[in-house]
Amino acid sequence: MANRAMVVEPGGDGAGAAVALIGLEARFLDERRFEEWLDLYTEDAVYWVPAVADQTDPDNHVSLFYDQKPTMRLRVERLRHPGIHVSTTLDKADVLQYR
């Protein structure tokens, strides 16, 4: 999946592929397969999760995540650290699908 950008409008071409990718991503995260999750993204990837549904700009608004691949890699390293204390239970990824 090198050199890919996925911006998909609901109901447009590629929407099925986007839904499948999001499902795979959620499964990897739920199963704590963080390295496989990380491998879904290219080295030049930007992982952006807006704080609100209609947010159009990650630079001028607060976002839940706005990371580049090195930061994503660091998050995985922290999640794998034996002394992690952020979660005592295994939470499931919430996936919101627009239809």
Side-chain angles (χ1 to χ4, degrees), residues 68-85:
Q68 294 178 334
K69 186 87 179 244
T71 307
M72 296 163 68
R73 199 173 285 116
L74 182 59
R75 287 183 189 279
V76 169
E77 290 172 13
R78 288 178 178 166
L79 287 167
R80 290 289 185 214
H81 191 278
I84 190 173
H85 65 279

Side-chain angles (χ1 to χ4, degrees), residues 6-80:
M6 187 169 289
V7 178
V8 178
E9 296 296 325
D13 291 338
V19 169
L21 176 63
I22 291 168
L24 181 62
E25 178 183 38
R27 186 172 74 225
F28 285 164
L29 293 172
D30 286 348
E31 295 173 359
R32 302 183 66 81
R33 294 163 56 184
F34 302 125
E35 291 78 12
E36 289 172 87
W37 167 79
L38 193 59
D39 287 342
L40 293 174
Y41 298 91
T42 60
E43 288 302 314
D44 61 346
V46 175
Y47 188 75
W48 177 41
V49 180
V52 295
D54 62 349
Q55 184 176 341
T56 59
D57 181 359
D59 293 319
N60 294 310
H61 301 280
V62 174
S63 298
L64 298 177
F65 293 97
Y66 185 46
D67 295 344
Q68 294 178 334
K69 186 87 179 244
T71 307
M72 296 163 68
R73 199 173 285 116
L74 182 59
R75 287 183 189 279
V76 169
E77 290 172 13
R78 288 178 178 166
L79 287 167
R80 290 289 185 214

